[in-house]
Every structure is written in C-alpha cells, then in structure tokens.
Amino acid sequence: MSSSIFTDVDQYIHELFIPEDEALNKTMNSISETGIPSISVSYTQGKMLFLLAKMSKPKRILEIGTLAGFSTIWLARALPSDGVLVTLELEQQHADIALKNIENAGLSDKVQILVGPAGESLDQMIKGKTEPFDFIFIDADKPPYAEYFKQSLKLSKPGTVIVADNVVREGRILDKATTDEDAAGIARFNKLISETPEVDASILQTVGEKMHDGIAIAIVK
C-alpha cells in the first residue's frame, strides 16, 4: 500500500468534517512564514483533539507545548464561555506568534501562555497548588514525556483526561537499542503509563499526512 493513500484519506476527512477556517489557516501560514518547525497536529488531528476535549466537558485545560497555537485554538474552542486554557511554551518567539494567532481566533480571553521550560512551569503550578485541570494535552519535547506525565498527574483529579501525541514514532519505539532520544523518551513514557495504577490508558495508532504515529489516552481514576 502506498503511503500516499494516508494523505489522500486525510484530505477526504478534512473536506468532509472541517469547513474553511480563516483563523486556523492563518495559524498554519504563520508557521511557514516565520520558520517555526512544521510539527503541529494536522487539521484532522486537531478536530479529533477538539472532540476528545469536548467529550470531557472541561472547564480547565492544560497544554504542554504551544508552538504557533494551532492545537491551542482547537482545544480552546472546546471550552465553555467561562473556561480557561493554560499553555506552556519554551520559546518566546513561538509564544509571541501563538498569541497573535489566538487573538485572531478570538480566544485570548480564554488562553494564558506561560513561557519557559515546561518542567519548571509545571513545578511552579504544583507548588502553587493550582486548581486541577480537566483535560491535559502533552505535545512538547519527547525525552521528558514521562516526567511531564508525572507532573500532569499532580495537576489532575479523578476523571481528568490526559492525551499525549507522537507516541509511536513510526514504530521506532520498538527498538530497545535505539539511539534516537525522542523514541527512547516516548518508550519510557509508554511504559510508565502502562504501569501507573492511577490511570486507565491505551494507545491509538494513527496514520495520515503525519505518517505513522499514535496518541496515548489516559483517564485518571
């Protein structure tokens, strides 16, 4: 089977379920125009993320990894009028671009961007006894995914949904001798969530324009 079928089907799904959206299109354009790495979720993945968040009926969402704000916009749209989304971004340049995209989408009243190393921002929230989140999306640097998950648990409550992207890495997670730090970090994360009694979890493999990957979904007991 040619891998082009994955992209073709993605486009088919896109045309069926995702109408033209100026805010999302401008956000995607900002990525190519500013040289930000093109590693955001796809449109179809964004819609699925929106649906997963919407099903959890969140008032508070935490996103680890903002980039240009594409997934941030999808998630913030799943919030009620009084909902809040806190998103963590390492690079100030990315945060500035994301802020413009979020404002353009009319969501700046719901979104707070914290700039700096995600681990440090998470520790500060834990120490500050931040109110638990209802939905958490992890999509940042891969080596510390396991640590991000541990910190996310401390910012959760029973019923919190934790979703993590890029957890299959085109199968590189199967290579126990890999020198790929991203794949090794993801493998540690996958093992951790499988052994964490505080959650029910599994992994859904995905294919599409982002090729072969997967998302982990965990629900806090």
Side-chain angles (χ1 to χ4, degrees), residues 71-147:
S71 57
T72 313
I73 292 170
W74 278 112
L75 288 169
R77 287 176 172 177
L79 287 166
S81 58
D82 59 345
V84 175
L85 187 153
V86 178
T87 182
L88 313 182
E89 174 53 48
L90 175 63
E91 303 288 346
Q92 183 67 57
Q93 178 197 10
H94 297 174
D96 291 342
I97 293 167
L99 181 59
K100 291 179 182 178
N101 291 328
I102 291 162
E103 290 174 346
N104 184 58
L107 295 165
S108 55
D109 60 327
K110 293 182 179 181
V111 178
Q112 177 186 7
I113 303 176
L114 301 181
V115 181
E120 294 180 8
S121 295
L122 292 167
D123 278 341
Q124 289 172 5
M125 285 191 283
I126 292 166
K127 291 176 182 176
K129 297 184 179 179
T130 297
E131 182 181 347
F133 293 92
D134 306 298
F135 188 94
I136 299 174
F137 180 48
I138 304 173
D139 189 16
D141 47 328
K142 311 310 173 191
Y145 255 41
E147 286 68 33

Side-chain angles (χ1 to χ4, degrees), residues 4-48:
S4 65
I5 191 66
F6 302 151
T7 300
D8 293 343
V9 173
D10 244 8
Q11 186 59 36
Y12 167 80
I13 297 169
H14 185 159
E15 292 173 0
L16 277 178
F17 297 106
I18 307 171
E20 277 296 306
D21 190 305
E22 183 180 0
L24 291 175
N25 292 342
K26 284 186 175 180
T27 300
M28 276 299 190
N29 290 338
S30 74
I31 292 172
S32 58
E33 290 168 358
T34 59
I36 289 177
S38 183
I39 53 176
S40 293
V41 299
S42 67
Y43 281 84
T44 55
Q45 290 171 332
K47 180 61 179 288
M48 190 60 63

